[in-house]
Each structure stands twice: as C-alpha cells, then as structure tokens.
Amino acid sequence: MDQKPQPPSHGLAACPNPECAEPVDPRDRYCGACGYDLSAAAELPAGQDRPTMPIAAPVWPEAPPRDPGSLSTLTQHPGELPGTDSGGRDLPTVPVRTDAPVEPPAPAPPRGETVRGGGDFELAAPDPRAAVRADPKTAAEPGSGAAEPGSGAAEPGASGGGPAEGICVACRAGRVDGDGYCENCGHAQPRERDHMERELGTVAAVSDRGLRHHRNEDSFALTETRLPDGRPASVAIVCDGVSSAHRPDEASAAAARAAGAVLDEALPRGTHPQQAMHEAIVAAAEAVTALARTADGGAGADSLHGGNSPACTIVGSVVTDGLLVVGWVGDSRAYWVPDDRTAPAARLTEDDSWAAQMVKAGLMNEAQAYADERAHAITGWLGADAYELEPHTAAFKPDRPGVVVVCTDGLWNYAEAAESMAGALPADAALRPLHAARVLVGHALDGGGHDNITVALTPFAPPPAGAGSS
C-alpha cells in the first residue's frame, strides 16, 4: 500500500512568523515549533497582512437563573462547578479558555544543524498511516480498560488484506529480519503500539507514533460501565510519556491501565464521578511510581536517588447523566466542542506548565511567559520524581449536546485554541467518534506529526428537559 501523498511544497525554508523563524520542511503544512499555517502564508497576496491574534474571544452563553444550592439545574456555566485539588481546596476561579494563547517564539537552531527531537530519526520512517493493522478479531473485549494495539482497526484504503506476513511495509519487497528491519531497504517495521485504535459503544480513541519519533510513548484506556441505578457512564483516559524520562512508554501504559481500572470499579459502586476521577489519578501515579527501579533492583537505577524515573502526564473524562467530569496532571488537555458549531467551543483544562504558572502567579503576562524558552516545560507529572501530586478535577453541565475531546500535545500543538480544535473536528463527530478521532490524528500528521498523537472522543448529551440529574 502506497504512502499517503504528501502535500505540495509551499516553497518556504523557514517559518514566516517573525517571532519564530524556525526551519521548516517544504512538505509541512504547519510549523512544528509554533503551529503557523505555512500553506496560508504561501498563498497570502503580496502586501497583504493577516492578524495573528483573534479579534474577539467567544464566551459561553449565559446560564438562566437557578437555585445556588441545586445540582439538578440543566444549564450551568462551566465555572459554576469548580474542581478540587488533592487537598480538597477549590481550584482557582480561572475562566475557561476559549481564546488562543500567544504563540511562543522558538529559538532557531544553529545554521546547518539537523533539527530533531528526542528519539527522532534523521531519515523519516514509513508513514504510520500505511502500517499493517491487526485482525479485528484479536481486539480486546469491551470494558477491559487499557487499549490493545490495533483493536478494531483496518488499514486505510486496504484491499486484499495488506502485505504478506514478513514483507516490509515500506518497499513491499524485502523480507523483515528478526530484529524488525527490512533486509532490502533497511526500514524499521511498525511496532504494535505504532498505531492503535479502539471503539466502544459511545467512546473511541486513536493513538499514532507520528512521523518523527521512533516509538509511540502515548497510551489510552476506554471503559463503558454503569452507575448503581443502571445509567451508563463512558470513560476515556489519555496518557503521554515524558520523553526525557526512562521508559516513558511503560509509564503511560501503566497509568492508563490503572486509572481505567479504578474508574471501572468505582463508578458502579456509587462513587461520585469527580471523586472517582481523583482516585483514578492517584492510582495512576502510584502505578508509575512503582516502575522506578532502585540502584540494587537490577537492570540499572532510575529511581529518584539514582536516575530519571519513568513519568507521564494524564487527562481523563467521565460522561454520565448530563454531567461531564475531567481530571488531569500535566499538559495533556480536554476540550468541549458543541454539535452546534455556531456556539463557542472551550478548553476545560489548564496546563501544569512553567508559562501557566508564571501567569497565574502574576509574575509575567501571557505574552512574556510564552515568549520564554521554558514556556512548555511541565510542572506537574506522574512518577517517582514528581515534587508533589496535585490531581486537578472539574465538573461541568453543558446545556447542549457536543463532544468531549481528550488528547496529548501531539494533537493540540496543531489545534491549540478551542476554536481551532472545533474547526478540525468533523461535524458528525458525535455520530462517528472513531472516524472523527482518525481525522484529528490525520490533521496532526498532515501538520508535520512531530510528536506522538493520541485523542479520545466521547459524545455528550444533556438530559431531557424536565429530567432530574444528580
């Protein structure tokens, strides 16, 4: 199967954003450093300028009057149900972000230096979208928690079932040796985790290695369960391994598996979804911490006192009975996109990052913080080296149907603002969540695919008018 045709060259050698100027590949559609639309820049008529900041940020519609003590009112502003941290304190009353943050400039590398991230190939590997998929019959059983590689997936455009076993997916001629490399062209073959897909009844997720990294360090878990009274609940967990830590792929897998298992057990028991999300994040942190090896544990030390422990971020959502709960640690995000695209979308999480911390503390404004080279350094993660675990949780009751998007930065780097994410999401996402997740992954791949990409989608529907909710 041929690789997906590359977009035409835009003829740019560097990002036209004056605050970035990062070298770009002629085939990239977006700048991998700042997300600038390279194709739009190439098509812009000479002498015509284009604003880089939104003219006006959308706001959530006003909620109707309600009893402050009531939890059953159907329409509530997102900020009216604040989340809590691990100490039971209310999270800061920061408005839900619906605007685009200031794009941080990225320092240009020395001339002549190859631009690569941790673990990147100097020669790009085959497009993961052309990888061989596992037989759907081998997929995991619904409700099992962590995602199984290739579950329910089919090779895009496949006819005849793909190449024969042991044949290279890149040249389609050479045979693959025992180490996973083609004897003819030398390409490394896709691993099981290079592309994963899974769909349950009302929730779906896709994870892809991307075009630059040599392995997929993201993971996810999906669960469908029921509350004690029989009402359904859908759970999506997405984790992103920290590449600078040891065994980030193991960390993300352990965290997703642990968090999914806790939610699958706690919700049917009657635990409030927000409390269950808190417990799930704590369990995920314990699972990642348990991976750290001590100096006498064999195979080399990577504990707090002997190395760089496995670490990852986490974001998750629970959708049940008109209630939307999100929880997170790190810079993986959750977005809300209404089915009616004339209504504003919103970002539901606030990054644990250096820039966000500086702005929150009042030490810098947003432009200054995001201009700093430390802007995207995370300040919260799961693992033995974490300074302090502070799970963030928040509950919302949107007044209209929509889709909850939870994803790693491999996606939101190419659709950072809420309106950008809404623009990339297909209009029928609530009806075809797996298809929509594939489209979002494709959006990131077409933009450059500089990182691993994972996204999970869950449709949300408010309860019928007049129905009570807990």
Side-chain angles (χ1 to χ4, degrees):
M1 185 64 60
D2 294 334
Q3 296 182 19
K4 180 175 180 178
Q6 295 293 328
S9 171
H10 45 64
L12 299 175
C15 177
N17 184 351
E19 295 182 350
C20 177
E22 180 80 0
V24 296
D25 189 299
R27 298 171 298 177
D28 284 352
R29 185 170 298 173
Y30 301 93
C31 174
C34 70
Y36 198 95
D37 188 342
L38 302 177
S39 60
E43 298 168 0
L44 195 63
Q48 181 178 342
D49 194 9
R50 173 177 294 168
T52 57
M53 291 295 294
I55 302 302
V59 295
W60 282 73
E62 288 293 332
R66 67 182 184 90
D67 178 1
S70 170
L71 290 178
S72 61
T73 304
L74 295 182
T75 306
Q76 291 181 288
H77 191 282
E80 293 179 355
L81 286 177
T84 57
D85 60 21
S86 57
R89 301 178 296 272
D90 288 343
L91 291 175
T93 55
V94 178
V96 174
R97 287 290 298 272
T98 61
D99 61 324
V102 177
E103 296 287 359
R111 292 187 180 277
E113 179 177 330
T114 302
V115 180
R116 59 169 70 90
D120 292 28
F121 280 113
E122 188 168 351
L123 175 64
D127 189 333
R129 289 170 289 184
V132 179
R133 307 290 185 244
D135 190 317
K137 295 179 181 178
T138 64
E141 292 298 325
S144 62
E148 292 295 328
S151 61
E155 183 176 0
S159 60
E165 182 178 0
I167 300 299
C168 175
V169 300
C171 68
R172 299 298 195 266
R175 299 201 59 84
V176 180
D177 63 23
D179 294 327
Y181 290 85
C182 176
E183 296 174 347
N184 178 49
C185 67
H187 269 302
Q189 302 303 292
R191 298 180 179 90
E192 284 185 321
R193 282 182 64 172
D194 280 357
H195 188 94
M196 302 181 290
E197 296 185 357
R198 191 159 188 227
E199 182 178 36
L200 300 182
T202 57
V203 59
V206 176
S207 181
D208 196 281
R209 185 191 68 189
L211 302 178
R212 304 297 178 91
H213 281 280
H214 75 284
R215 66 181 174 186
N216 189 357
E217 296 168 356
D218 291 353
S219 191
F220 65 83
L222 305 180
T223 297
E224 281 195 325
T225 184
R226 290 190 175 274
L227 303 183
D229 59 3
R231 291 174 294 172
S234 298
V235 174
I237 300 292
V238 167
C239 298
D240 184 357
V242 177
S243 295
S244 60
H246 291 179
R247 298 177 289 147
D249 53 333
E250 296 181 33
S252 63
R257 183 166 51 247
V262 167
L263 287 164
D264 196 29
E265 189 273 335
L267 293 174
R269 193 176 63 229
T271 306
H272 188 279
Q274 191 168 357
Q275 178 62 30
M277 178 63 75
H278 178 96
E279 295 173 0
I281 295 175
V282 172
E286 293 173 348
V288 178
T289 299
L291 294 176
R293 293 186 289 240
T294 57
D296 57 356
D302 60 7
S303 69
L304 181 62
H305 303 291
N308 198 358
S309 302
C312 70
T313 68
I314 187 171
V315 64
S317 68
V318 176
V319 172
T320 178
D321 192 38
L323 180 69
L324 161 59
V325 171
V326 295
W328 75 97
V329 172
D331 64 349
S332 293
R333 294 181 177 180
Y335 291 83
W336 160 256
V337 180
D339 290 346
D340 178 7
R341 298 304 168 82
T342 62
R347 196 179 105 196
L348 305 178
T349 58
E350 197 68 35
D351 297 345
D352 288 320
S353 68
W354 185 90
Q357 194 173 63
M358 292 299 102
V359 175
K360 178 180 175 182
L363 301 177
M364 291 182 176
N365 61 37
E366 192 170 82
Q368 293 170 331
Y370 280 94
D372 194 284
E373 62 182 5
R374 297 165 290 182
H376 290 286
I378 60 174
T379 57
W381 62 88
L382 308 183
D385 292 334
Y387 302 115
E388 181 180 2
L389 176 64
E390 292 190 7
H392 310 298
T393 64
F396 307 97
K397 289 186 176 180
D399 64 340
R400 63 195 67 199
V403 176
V404 184
V405 180
V406 293
C407 63
T408 61
D409 60 348
L411 172 60
W412 66 252
N413 275 331
Y414 299 98
E416 185 165 0
E419 58 268 25
S420 298
M421 186 65 72
L425 188 69
D428 62 350
L431 300 177
R432 298 198 296 164
L434 179 58
H435 167 76
R438 289 169 175 163
V439 170
L440 290 179
V441 169
H443 175 78
L445 292 173
D446 289 341
H450 287 74
D451 200 354
N452 306 143
I453 310 152
T454 302
V455 57
L457 302 179
T458 307
F460 173 92
S469 63
S470 58

